[in-house]
Amino acid sequence: MAINSFYSKGNNSNSVVDSMIIGRNDQRGFLRMDVNATLTFKFCGADDVYEGASQDLSATGLRFVSPQKVSVGDMLDVCMKPGIDITPPLETTLAVVRVTQTNDGQYEVAGVLQQNDPA
């Protein structure tokens, strides 16, 4: 099943996903969960790997902080490893939609998770 149809608001086949859908008074389609985990990322097509710290995650997006400068429109290959060994890492491509420089010189990056086709 394609990820877009799985997470679609109109698809009522998954009660877990349905429970994450939030009220109509918010523009977001899914609840954001605070997730504090170390992640690594690289610019698509590049070899250099950078580190960041996740802030929150939803069914369609991710927000993290990093000292590495990132720009809106960049595509990043992201790997986020949870603190529990039985949970597999999240490996995805992120389309950057917002970047804000913080007071301490880091960058807060928000992006939309892209569908990765299985190999």
Side-chain angles (χ1 to χ4, degrees):
M1 177 184 294
I3 193 167
N4 291 341
S5 64
F6 182 79
Y7 288 122
S8 170
K9 288 183 189 180
N11 181 351
N12 294 322
S13 64
N14 188 306
S15 62
V16 174
V17 173
D18 289 346
S19 70
M20 293 178 67
I21 297 174
I22 57 179
R24 292 184 178 163
N25 58 351
D26 193 314
Q27 293 181 5
R28 292 188 181 95
F30 293 93
L31 179 67
R32 288 185 180 191
M33 298 173 288
D34 290 337
V35 177
N36 298 311
T38 300
L39 61 81
T40 57
F41 68 94
K42 62 181 183 174
F43 295 90
C44 290
D47 294 325
D48 294 335
V49 178
Y50 305 98
E51 287 192 0
S54 65
Q55 293 186 317
D56 61 47
L57 174 68
S58 76
T60 58
L62 170 66
R63 185 169 56 106
F64 69 93
V65 175
S66 175
Q68 177 59 41
K69 184 175 181 179
V70 175
S71 300
V72 171
D74 285 345
M75 299 295 286
L76 307 175
D77 288 326
V78 178
C79 180
M80 185 168 59
K81 296 182 181 178
I84 303 170
D85 290 338
I86 61 171
T87 304
L90 169 67
E91 294 180 344
T92 190
T93 301
L94 187 74
V96 177
V97 296
R98 183 173 45 86
V99 178
T100 306
Q101 191 165 13
T102 63
N103 290 338
D104 62 356
Q106 295 208 58
Y107 297 90
E108 182 181 84
V109 179
V112 177
L113 303 175
Q114 302 298 294
Q115 180 176 348
N116 286 347
D117 293 323

